[in-house]
Amino acid sequence: MPGKLFQYLHRLFRANEIRLHELSYLFWECTRRCNLRCLHCGSDCSAGSARGDMPFGDFLRAILPLKKAYPPNTITVVITGGEPLLRGDLPQCGRALREHGFRWSIVTNGYAYTPDVHARLLAAGMGAITLSLDGLEDAHSWLRSSTRSFANALKAIELITASKRLCYDIVTCVNRKNINTLPELKELLISKKVAAWRLFTIAPIGRAKGNDDLQLTPQELTQLMDFIAGARADRRIDAKLSCEAYVGAHEKRVRDAPFFCRAGVTIASVLADGSIAACPNINRHFVQGNIYRDSFLDVWSNRFEVMRNRRWTRTGICARCSDYKRCNGGAMHLWSERQDAILTCINQKMLHSA
């Protein structure tokens, strides 16, 4: 299909998705506690988080009205944190979600993912999992601030890949410490029978703000695009760039579908304090309500205008960008409460280094 026609059709598709805004992924930040202290954490979670875990009953009561508007099996509840495995009731939470027809999955660092945990989560109906491996041992341990996290993550990967009915992907946050060892990491993942691999860049938010070791140079960003394209051509592993940024001429090389930030369009979240938001890493300025005072279904149906109509993002470097119609202001987590300029633009970085 000719490029201009494809782009036009994608814009029509995106506009229709925004108009319908049918919820498909609902993140539940079930805890702010975490068993690691990662350098790149966007939520600044810690083992001693002062905020308690959200009672599951509160979350369930908030989302049950969704069954009036959607077949529940069309919505996947993605349980995240913090580290969700720190909750002792996680299997009970998952089982209750399945009893009400919702699909559910977790996002984990894998540190506490043991064979017993694996068996109990599968028995509770877990259908998918996302687990992080952020480089070879030295790089992963550095980013995760833990010398045991690498071995634990590998053991978790072996459990996950051996479960034939479980959907999964392994995610890697690419930074200056691991960019040059991605080929070795790819071979390691293939040896562990990993089929699906998503690679992220790290946004300058949370703990990552101001840490230059976490931000790729323009040349390294191009290197990452070339690596992903080569891994996809290799076909031994389904590698792709995650959805966190528009990458211009590299789009078709590094992902299956054009960039589309679905935050507030098909993706929402309930944060640990009850806030109703889009993706959990988006600036809290964009919170749209709270389950302790608002109806989640009403908020989802009638708010989120700031994410469904993003004309306000045409400011700063976005105001004069020839790719704006394709990018639509980039990813929402890259905008601060000032709303005056995007925090970083991968595409512009690579263009200016060419």
Side-chain angles (χ1 to χ4, degrees):
M1 182 181 296
K4 288 186 177 180
L5 176 58
F6 179 80
Q7 293 161 18
Y8 172 72
L9 292 175
H10 177 68
R11 289 198 296 272
L12 289 181
F13 166 77
R14 185 176 65 196
N16 191 56
E17 290 285 278
I18 292 170
R19 180 182 62 82
L20 295 174
H21 52 265
E22 293 180 336
L23 184 65
S24 59
Y25 283 92
L26 174 57
F27 286 87
W28 176 33
E29 188 185 58
C30 69
T31 183
R32 293 294 299 276
R33 295 182 295 135
C34 191
N35 46 13
L36 298 177
R37 187 167 177 80
C38 305
L39 300 180
H40 65 303
C41 181
S43 302
D44 203 20
C45 298
S46 65
S49 175
R51 181 170 298 282
D53 299 350
M54 176 182 283
F56 175 69
D58 295 356
F59 174 72
L60 186 62
R61 280 190 294 273
I63 69 168
L64 281 181
L66 289 171
K67 296 169 70 173
K68 301 174 184 177
Y70 302 94
N73 65 359
T74 64
I75 296 175
T76 297
V77 175
V78 184
I79 304 177
T80 185
E83 174 49 55
L85 295 182
L86 294 184
R87 288 185 67 117
D89 65 346
L90 196 58
Q92 293 93 323
C93 298
R95 187 171 292 108
L97 289 169
R98 288 300 299 136
E99 288 171 354
H100 285 282
F102 296 103
R103 299 176 180 177
W104 68 277
S105 67
I106 68 168
V107 178
T108 177
N109 59 40
Y111 191 85
Y113 199 87
T114 64
D116 178 63
V117 168
H118 179 67
R120 288 190 290 119
L121 294 179
L122 287 179
M126 180 177 71
I129 184 170
T130 292
L131 187 141
S132 298
L133 188 71
D134 294 305
L136 301 178
E137 186 166 6
D138 288 348
H140 178 92
S141 300
W142 169 78
L143 189 66
R144 298 283 166 177
S145 301
S146 167
T147 56
R148 292 175 55 192
S149 60
F150 179 78
N152 287 12
L154 281 186
K155 291 175 184 176
I157 288 172
E158 290 170 353
L159 291 169
I160 291 165
T161 57
S163 301
K164 301 304 180 186
R165 71 169 180 81
L166 188 61
C167 295
Y168 71 88
D169 60 0
I170 305 305
V171 298
T172 297
C173 291
V174 183
N175 56 76
R176 303 204 69 193
K177 297 283 189 179
N178 65 14
I179 179 73
N180 291 320
T181 57
L182 290 180
E184 294 98 314
L185 181 59
K186 182 187 77 169
E187 295 304 323
L188 174 62
L189 292 175
I190 291 171
S191 75
K192 297 296 181 181
K193 299 181 171 57
V194 170
W197 186 24
R198 268 190 303 149
L199 296 98
F200 283 76
T201 58
I202 298 175
I205 59 176
R207 287 193 204 127
K209 187 176 182 180
N211 188 339
D212 291 341
D213 284 336
L214 300 180
Q215 306 303 315
L216 298 178
T217 67
Q219 293 75 20
E220 288 167 338
L221 285 168
T222 302
Q223 179 183 342
L224 174 60
M225 301 303 124
D226 291 341
F227 170 78
I228 295 174
R232 289 169 66 81
D234 186 12
R235 296 182 181 272
R236 289 184 296 151
I237 190 168
D238 179 15
K240 57 174 65 71
L241 182 68
S242 72
C243 62
E244 93 274 14
Y246 172 75
V247 291
H250 298 283
E251 282 287 314
K252 292 182 179 180
R253 305 177 68 217
V254 300
R255 52 168 64 110
D256 297 334
F259 171 77
F260 178 10
C261 177
R262 293 176 173 271
V265 178
T266 61
I267 297 172
S269 65
V270 174
L271 305 181
D273 64 354
S275 295
I276 301 170
C279 293
N281 279 341
I282 291 175
N283 190 285
R284 292 330 194 227
H285 173 80
F286 295 102
V287 163
Q288 299 295 297
N290 192 290
I291 64 167
Y292 293 112
R293 64 170 185 269
D294 302 305
S295 157
F296 179 88
L297 179 58
D298 178 66
V299 170
W300 176 255
S301 300
N302 299 305
R303 301 187 194 177
F304 286 94
E305 181 64 15
V306 70
M307 299 175 200
R308 296 170 187 169
N309 181 351
R310 301 190 189 180
R311 285 194 293 267
W312 59 270
T313 61
R314 195 145 200 179
T315 185
I317 61 172
C318 296
R320 54 186 181 275
C321 180
S322 60
D323 276 352
Y324 182 84
K325 286 184 178 180
R326 302 173 193 172
C327 169
N328 201 31
M332 281 297 303
H333 72 281
L334 296 176
W335 290 87
S336 71
E337 65 275 10
R338 296 194 308 272
Q339 298 185 24
D340 58 354
I342 194 166
L343 296 176
T344 185
C345 176
I346 289 177
N347 187 43
Q348 288 292 326
K349 282 185 178 181
M350 290 188 291
L351 285 173
H352 290 162
S353 70

